[in-house]
Amino acid sequence: MMVALILYSYCLGERSARRIERRLAEDVAYRVIGANQRPDHATIARFRQAHEGALGGLFAQILRLCASAGLVKVGIVAIDGTKMAASASLAANRTAEAIEADVRRYLKEAAEIDAAEDALHGEGLRGDELPPELAERTSRLARLREAKQRLDEEDAARERSHREHLAERERIERERGKRLRGRKPKAPDRQTKATANTTDPGSRIMKTRQGYLQGYNAQAGVTDEQIIVAAELTQDHNDVGQLHPMIGATEQSLLEAGVSGPIGTVLGDAGYFSDANLSDASPEGPELLIATTKDWKQRKAARERGAPRGRIPKGLSARERMERALLTKRGLALYAMRGKTVEPVFGQIKDPRGIRCFMRRGLSACESEWKLITGCHNLLKLFRRAARSAPRSPRSTLALA
């Protein structure tokens, strides 16, 4: 019953545990699903937290249902990313120095409260509870320490990379018997301006067309039927490193859903393009059509240069071959499918259903929620497919309503 309640709520874009509790009393459909039971908002929230892995796993089960209904065709798969806001504010970002100051202040307050209680009640005896931000394991103090640890780990990684670079230079100089030209790399300075979010340390500052937000980069692979066949969440600011991971995730999702046959063509915008991505592509893998520049520049080049003819000239670089493939009539027709597949999917999730931010915090919790969100998108596609094929008798119309 709880799973059905959460799935139905997410399909409607209703994710607040308190509003779900209220609807269980006011909405007839919710009362039917809940069998007139009314779990409170704390029970709903705890269920969602305790079973985040299983709820995220519903994505594969729903995809299997879509495949059984004939909705999953993998001739063309378009991938893209969208920025989803975290349950955190940009203003909650702090530098390492500011975090250390907050930690010292909280610990000082805790020590002062302990001393006052010892003086009042006697040492070893317990009086009033500490403030929640100091007493709870999942308190602000714990999040501050997690954010500080992240900044320290990033500084250590830069220092480790610098040492490895110096060792490589020394090895090359020994082999050649002379010093390399140029200045010797300087040791990295501590990133005093680097920040971490103290509300959701797993989130990152993301740049969007509307400005900056605190959140995650949500990835999706979508078929021409607007069925999401892969859903992943990353902390990377851009998409360039997600091309091959998304192809791998798509192949794994299709395998779990029992869909046989290889992916035909993978479409991606310029955010996924790099020479390394093309060179790392497997010859046995799907065909890649990745834009090398922004869409409007690509359309302008197609108007001015026209479709290329004849054999592919020899000596073209990987970028030039991709540009040529995108300018052919076939390439233009295939790439235009992006505007009918992955981009409308993000619009359907964010506008009619109003899902623009995550309700939970932390990378694994938000990744589970993203899979639940995308699974419900597929569930709605499956429902509408069944509704379109249902007979239109007065009784069936009433039952559908």
Side-chain angles (χ1 to χ4, degrees), residues 33 69 82 114 173 229 244 246 273 316 324 330 369-370:
I33 291 172
T82 186
D114 285 340
E173 288 175 350
V229 291
H244 295 298
M246 281 303 296
F273 182 84
L316 293 182
R324 190 180 192 279
R330 177 179 177 274
E369 188 174 6
W370 177 239

Side-chain angles (χ1 to χ4, degrees), residues 150-359:
R150 177 204 144 193
L151 293 176
D152 290 342
E153 289 173 353
E154 290 178 354
D155 283 332
R158 281 189 291 269
E159 181 63 32
R160 185 167 57 252
S161 176
H162 173 69
R163 290 196 302 268
E164 292 172 355
H165 184 47
L166 287 181
E168 180 66 15
R169 280 178 60 94
E170 291 175 359
R171 184 188 65 79
I172 295 173
E173 288 175 350
R174 284 196 304 270
E175 290 178 354
R176 297 181 180 179
K178 61 179 181 179
R179 294 172 59 86
L180 292 176
R181 299 179 62 182
R183 295 181 179 179
K184 188 175 181 179
K186 293 183 178 180
D189 296 329
R190 181 179 175 83
Q191 299 294 309
T192 56
K193 294 184 178 180
T195 60
N197 195 277
T198 56
T199 304
D200 183 358
S203 63
R204 299 291 186 268
I205 299 175
M206 300 284 173
K207 185 178 181 181
T208 69
R209 293 179 181 178
Q210 292 75 34
Y212 291 90
L213 61 79
Q214 190 74 34
Y216 296 90
N217 186 355
Q219 300 281 313
V222 183
T223 68
D224 56 357
E225 294 282 345
Q226 294 186 0
I227 298 296
I228 301 174
V229 291
E232 301 295 325
L233 198 68
T234 176
Q235 297 165 315
D236 292 346
H237 307 279
N238 53 49
D239 299 330
V240 69
Q242 304 306 315
L243 175 63
H244 295 298
M246 281 303 296
I247 293 175
T250 302
E251 293 172 341
Q252 181 63 31
S253 292
L254 294 173
L255 181 64
E256 293 176 359
V259 179
S260 59
I263 302 170
T265 304
V266 173
L267 309 176
D269 62 15
Y272 292 93
F273 182 84
S274 73
D275 293 331
N277 278 344
L278 296 185
S279 62
D280 292 343
S282 171
E284 292 80 21
E287 176 191 13
L288 299 181
L289 275 181
I290 311 299
T292 59
T293 185
K294 293 182 179 179
D295 288 358
W296 68 270
K297 291 183 179 180
Q298 187 172 305
R299 291 192 293 268
K300 181 181 178 183
R303 290 193 303 268
E304 294 176 351
R305 295 163 55 182
R309 297 181 179 179
R311 294 183 178 181
I312 300 175
K314 295 182 179 180
L316 293 182
S317 65
R319 175 186 286 270
E320 291 170 337
R321 291 175 68 90
M322 183 62 70
E323 289 174 348
R324 190 180 192 279
L326 287 164
L327 290 176
T328 62
K329 291 182 179 179
R330 177 179 177 274
L332 288 171
L334 285 175
Y335 189 78
M337 293 294 293
R338 282 191 69 257
K340 307 173 187 177
T341 54
V342 65
E343 293 179 357
V345 163
F346 291 147
Q348 292 160 21
I349 290 174
K350 289 188 172 183
D351 289 331
R353 292 163 64 195
I355 300 177
R356 295 178 175 272
C357 67
F358 292 113
M359 298 293 291

Side-chain angles (χ1 to χ4, degrees), residues 11-261:
C11 284
L12 297 184
E14 187 67 271
R15 296 177 298 149
S16 167
R18 284 180 170 81
R19 288 199 294 267
I20 293 173
E21 179 188 357
R22 185 164 62 248
R23 286 200 174 208
L24 283 165
E26 300 173 350
D27 191 299
V28 172
Y30 275 83
R31 293 184 67 173
V32 170
I33 291 172
N36 275 329
Q37 298 184 63
R38 290 184 59 187
D40 62 15
H41 63 274
T43 301
I44 296 169
R46 283 197 299 266
F47 183 88
R48 185 165 50 185
Q49 178 182 4
H51 302 287
E52 66 176 34
L55 291 173
L58 291 175
F59 175 84
Q61 297 182 38
I62 295 170
L63 185 60
R64 190 178 299 116
L65 292 176
C66 293
S68 300
L71 286 175
V72 181
K73 300 174 183 177
V74 292
I76 298 173
V77 173
I79 60 173
D80 204 357
T82 186
K83 305 302 189 297
M84 292 283 289
S87 179
S89 169
L90 275 171
N93 284 288
R94 299 284 188 275
T95 62
E97 288 74 12
I99 292 173
E100 289 175 352
D102 282 347
V103 170
R104 287 194 299 269
R105 178 166 59 85
Y106 280 124
L107 294 177
K108 181 182 178 182
E109 289 177 3
E112 291 174 351
I113 292 172
D114 285 340
E117 289 182 348
D118 287 343
L120 180 63
H121 303 285
E123 187 173 353
L125 298 177
R126 184 173 179 178
D128 296 332
E129 296 289 338
L130 291 173
E133 67 271 15
L134 300 176
E136 296 177 5
R137 182 173 60 84
T138 57
S139 65
R140 180 173 176 80
L141 182 58
R143 295 197 303 270
L144 286 171
R145 285 173 169 160
E146 184 180 349
K148 177 64 167 56
Q149 181 182 0
R150 177 204 144 193
L151 293 176
D152 290 342
E153 289 173 353
E154 290 178 354
D155 283 332
R158 281 189 291 269
E159 181 63 32
R160 185 167 57 252
S161 176
H162 173 69
R163 290 196 302 268
E164 292 172 355
H165 184 47
L166 287 181
E168 180 66 15
R169 280 178 60 94
E170 291 175 359
R171 184 188 65 79
I172 295 173
E173 288 175 350
R174 284 196 304 270
E175 290 178 354
R176 297 181 180 179
K178 61 179 181 179
R179 294 172 59 86
L180 292 176
R181 299 179 62 182
R183 295 181 179 179
K184 188 175 181 179
K186 293 183 178 180
D189 296 329
R190 181 179 175 83
Q191 299 294 309
T192 56
K193 294 184 178 180
T195 60
N197 195 277
T198 56
T199 304
D200 183 358
S203 63
R204 299 291 186 268
I205 299 175
M206 300 284 173
K207 185 178 181 181
T208 69
R209 293 179 181 178
Q210 292 75 34
Y212 291 90
L213 61 79
Q214 190 74 34
Y216 296 90
N217 186 355
Q219 300 281 313
V222 183
T223 68
D224 56 357
E225 294 282 345
Q226 294 186 0
I227 298 296
I228 301 174
V229 291
E232 301 295 325
L233 198 68
T234 176
Q235 297 165 315
D236 292 346
H237 307 279
N238 53 49
D239 299 330
V240 69
Q242 304 306 315
L243 175 63
H244 295 298
M246 281 303 296
I247 293 175
T250 302
E251 293 172 341
Q252 181 63 31
S253 292
L254 294 173
L255 181 64
E256 293 176 359
V259 179
S260 59

